[in-house]
Amino acid sequence: MEQRIGSSSQPLEGAGFDPAYIPGLTSPVSGEAESAPEKAEVTAEEAVEKPAEESTEESTEEPTGEPAEEAADGPAEEVAPDGPVFEASDRRARVVADHQGVRLSLDDQACEFRWDEIGAIETETPRFGKRYTLTVHTPDRRWYPIEIEAASRSEFAEWDRQLDAVMDEYFEDGTPEPAEEESEETP
């Protein structure tokens, strides 16, 4: 009887095996990360062998001002269309809802939801206290709550008004708008 060396099954990924795995916040870790140091070593060796070639190539090229400026600036930022934007933040948390979707961040963790990934957005204000809770619900029955501490309770009404304006503009809940009923005249 032959014995197999190694496992033919792939390792499972998910919260059951990786407590740090949270869908939407982090990407799953795969075996590709182990091969990355080997590639880095190869590129370091190649860099030592080819610095003279690169310097001669750079000197033959005529520098133009425009491409260098574009490379220094990085990719051009997308122009934001005119429309409502909701922003709320405190010392730890931040929520931004605009034409791209909803972005939540808490300390050094962040996640972004496009409008087509959102099933519902729920807000909650306590009877006492100054914590505003915003929860993003996804169609696959997951939810992502975040609490923002307001300077005063009067900000809650302003935040609700701004969020409603953003939701009315960008969120499509999948239900058709009710058509206005025409009044039927009876003879």
PDB file of all heavy atoms in Angstrom, residues 182-187:
ATOM      1  N   GLU A 182     -53.975  57.739  -9.461  1.00  0.00           N
ATOM      2  CA  GLU A 182     -54.782  58.759 -10.119  1.00  0.00           C
ATOM      3  C   GLU A 182     -56.198  58.663  -9.594  1.00  0.00           C
ATOM      4  O   GLU A 182     -56.742  57.592  -9.409  1.00  0.00           O
ATOM      5  CB  GLU A 182     -54.765  58.547 -11.626  1.00  0.00           C
ATOM      6  CG  GLU A 182     -53.379  58.716 -12.221  1.00  0.00           C
ATOM      7  CD  GLU A 182     -53.414  58.483 -13.713  1.00  0.00           C
ATOM      8  OE1 GLU A 182     -54.505  58.509 -14.319  1.00  0.00           O
ATOM      9  OE2 GLU A 182     -52.334  58.273 -14.265  1.00  0.00           O
ATOM     10  N   SER A 183     -56.745  59.810  -9.343  1.00  0.00           N
ATOM     11  CA  SER A 183     -58.129  59.796  -8.834  1.00  0.00           C
ATOM     12  C   SER A 183     -59.076  59.476  -9.976  1.00  0.00           C
ATOM     13  O   SER A 183     -59.030  60.082 -11.041  1.00  0.00           O
ATOM     14  CB  SER A 183     -58.473  61.155  -8.208  1.00  0.00           C
ATOM     15  OG  SER A 183     -58.360  62.161  -9.175  1.00  0.00           O
ATOM     16  N   GLU A 184     -59.887  58.511  -9.728  1.00  0.00           N
ATOM     17  CA  GLU A 184     -60.861  58.119 -10.752  1.00  0.00           C
ATOM     18  C   GLU A 184     -62.147  58.897 -10.516  1.00  0.00           C
ATOM     19  O   GLU A 184     -62.668  58.928  -9.410  1.00  0.00           O
ATOM     20  CB  GLU A 184     -61.106  56.605 -10.670  1.00  0.00           C
ATOM     21  CG  GLU A 184     -59.900  55.785 -10.963  1.00  0.00           C
ATOM     22  CD  GLU A 184     -60.210  54.306 -10.873  1.00  0.00           C
ATOM     23  OE1 GLU A 184     -61.398  53.936 -10.861  1.00  0.00           O
ATOM     24  OE2 GLU A 184     -59.256  53.534 -10.802  1.00  0.00           O
ATOM     25  N   GLU A 185     -62.583  59.520 -11.585  1.00  0.00           N
ATOM     26  CA  GLU A 185     -63.815  60.276 -11.462  1.00  0.00           C
ATOM     27  C   GLU A 185     -64.992  59.353 -11.701  1.00  0.00           C
ATOM     28  O   GLU A 185     -64.997  58.564 -12.625  1.00  0.00           O
ATOM     29  CB  GLU A 185     -63.818  61.401 -12.489  1.00  0.00           C
ATOM     30  CG  GLU A 185     -62.719  62.407 -12.241  1.00  0.00           C
ATOM     31  CD  GLU A 185     -62.726  63.494 -13.290  1.00  0.00           C
ATOM     32  OE1 GLU A 185     -63.720  63.639 -14.018  1.00  0.00           O
ATOM     33  OE2 GLU A 185     -61.723  64.192 -13.394  1.00  0.00           O
ATOM     34  N   THR A 186     -65.977  59.464 -10.857  1.00  0.00           N
ATOM     35  CA  THR A 186     -67.196  58.656 -11.035  1.00  0.00           C
ATOM     36  C   THR A 186     -68.271  59.537 -11.661  1.00  0.00           C
ATOM     37  O   THR A 186     -68.509  60.654 -11.193  1.00  0.00           O
ATOM     38  CB  THR A 186     -67.680  58.107  -9.687  1.00  0.00           C
ATOM     39  OG1 THR A 186     -67.880  59.193  -8.804  1.00  0.00           O
ATOM     40  CG2 THR A 186     -66.693  57.132  -9.129  1.00  0.00           C
ATOM     41  N   PRO A 187     -68.937  59.084 -12.716  1.00  0.00           N
ATOM     42  CA  PRO A 187     -69.965  59.913 -13.380  1.00  0.00           C
ATOM     43  C   PRO A 187     -71.237  60.005 -12.618  1.00  0.00           C
ATOM     44  O   PRO A 187     -71.642  59.396 -11.789  1.00  0.00           O
ATOM     45  CB  PRO A 187     -70.188  59.264 -14.723  1.00  0.00           C
ATOM     46  CG  PRO A 187     -69.532  57.941 -14.684  1.00  0.00           C
ATOM     47  CD  PRO A 187     -68.685  57.891 -13.475  1.00  0.00           C
TER      48      PRO A 187
END
